[in-house]
Amino acid sequence: MTDLAALRKSYERAELDESSAHSDPLQQFALWLQQALDAHLPEPNAMTLATVGANGRPSTRIVLIKGLDARGIVWYTNYDSRKGRELECNPYAALQFHWVELERVVRIEGRVEKVTAEESDAYFASRPLDSRIGAWASPQSQVIASRALLVANAAKISARYVLNPPRPPHWGGYRLVPDSFEFWQGRKSRLHDRLRYRLDGGQWLRERLAP
């Protein structure tokens, strides 16, 4: 195996300065997300979602951002999954975007709430048919005997609903309402740029953190 301790990378693509960063972190995030999209990076919409269960153990997984506005950041999933159960007992989470090619990371923390049934219905209806069937067929995060069970479930749902499966009651959207953002831009000599925005009295306070 390659000597992992010897792996090195020099970060020299860009900088993040207070004079050029937006005072509103949501605008700064939207700018960086658009730049990641424009650069045609692989899955620039992928984000790590971290939740904590009732036992205090954290868990992470990759989900896809599906909405962004002044209210927060939206993704969709199975409410009965591990992340759904953990959010039910502890409605706080952290998100992380890592755009390797741009040498950038964004960390976002905040309270999580479910989106409205109308929002979930509208997004579910926009999904490909196979994805809508899969939402019914997969008991997400549960132990199953084999893949054959998923295939059989999908066949039953397809036969039952044909081309118009409704949104399952256990499936829908979450919105993270941010109270903290951190923007990380890799810099030479490990003197990286880190700007943190945190809510203070209803206003966003911007601070530079040591790398």
Side-chain angles (χ1 to χ4, degrees), residues 9-60:
K9 174 179 172 59
S10 182
Y11 300 95
E12 303 179 15
R13 288 184 59 93
E15 61 184 41
L16 179 60
D17 188 79
E18 289 87 341
S19 64
S20 58
H22 282 285
S23 58
D24 182 340
L26 199 64
Q27 292 187 43
Q28 181 64 36
F29 173 68
L31 172 65
W32 272 21
L33 177 58
Q34 188 59 55
Q35 289 175 348
L37 292 167
D38 293 343
H40 302 291
L41 304 186
E43 295 200 280
N45 56 333
M47 58 187 185
T48 300
L49 166 65
T51 56
V52 177
N55 59 2
R57 294 178 65 97
S59 62
T60 65

Side-chain angles (χ1 to χ4, degrees), residues 169-194:
H170 58 263
W171 191 98
Y174 286 106
R175 175 179 289 107
L176 183 138
V177 181
D179 57 29
S180 175
F181 284 80
E182 182 185 325
F183 297 87
W184 182 97
Q185 177 68 64
R187 296 294 300 275
K188 190 175 181 180
S189 302
R190 293 299 187 269
L191 299 179
H192 311 304
D193 289 326
R194 294 176 64 190

Side-chain angles (χ1 to χ4, degrees), residues 3-175:
D3 182 2
L4 298 178
L7 292 176
R8 297 285 187 277
K9 174 179 172 59
S10 182
Y11 300 95
E12 303 179 15
R13 288 184 59 93
E15 61 184 41
L16 179 60
D17 188 79
E18 289 87 341
S19 64
S20 58
H22 282 285
S23 58
D24 182 340
L26 199 64
Q27 292 187 43
Q28 181 64 36
F29 173 68
L31 172 65
W32 272 21
L33 177 58
Q34 188 59 55
Q35 289 175 348
L37 292 167
D38 293 343
H40 302 291
L41 304 186
E43 295 200 280
N45 56 333
M47 58 187 185
T48 300
L49 166 65
T51 56
V52 177
N55 59 2
R57 294 178 65 97
S59 62
T60 65
R61 72 287 291 158
I62 303 297
V63 297
L64 302 179
I65 182 174
K66 292 298 181 181
L68 169 65
D69 59 26
R71 296 172 296 171
I73 294 168
V74 173
W75 68 94
Y76 291 86
T77 190
N78 187 314
Y79 290 143
D80 294 334
S81 64
R82 178 177 178 179
K83 54 186 171 296
R85 296 194 306 270
E86 291 181 345
L87 287 170
E88 185 68 26
C89 69
N90 181 15
Y92 291 89
L95 303 173
Q96 178 169 292
F97 293 82
H98 187 192
W99 297 309
V100 178
E101 296 82 353
L102 299 180
E103 300 174 355
R104 289 174 173 173
V105 174
V106 181
R107 298 173 57 234
I108 310 169
E109 300 176 16
R111 183 177 179 86
V112 178
E113 60 189 24
K114 289 181 178 178
V115 305
T116 65
E118 291 76 15
E119 289 174 281
S120 291
D121 288 342
Y123 175 70
F124 188 79
S126 74
R127 304 182 84 206
L129 177 60
D130 286 349
S131 297
R132 285 179 280 153
I133 291 173
W136 280 97
S138 174
Q140 194 175 109
S141 299
Q142 296 182 30
V143 175
I144 58 175
S146 68
R147 182 176 177 80
L149 175 67
L150 296 178
V151 175
N153 285 349
K156 292 177 183 176
I157 295 299
S158 182
R160 179 179 179 183
Y161 293 116
V162 192
L163 298 178
N164 193 31
R167 177 175 65 90
H170 58 263
W171 191 98
Y174 286 106
R175 175 179 289 107

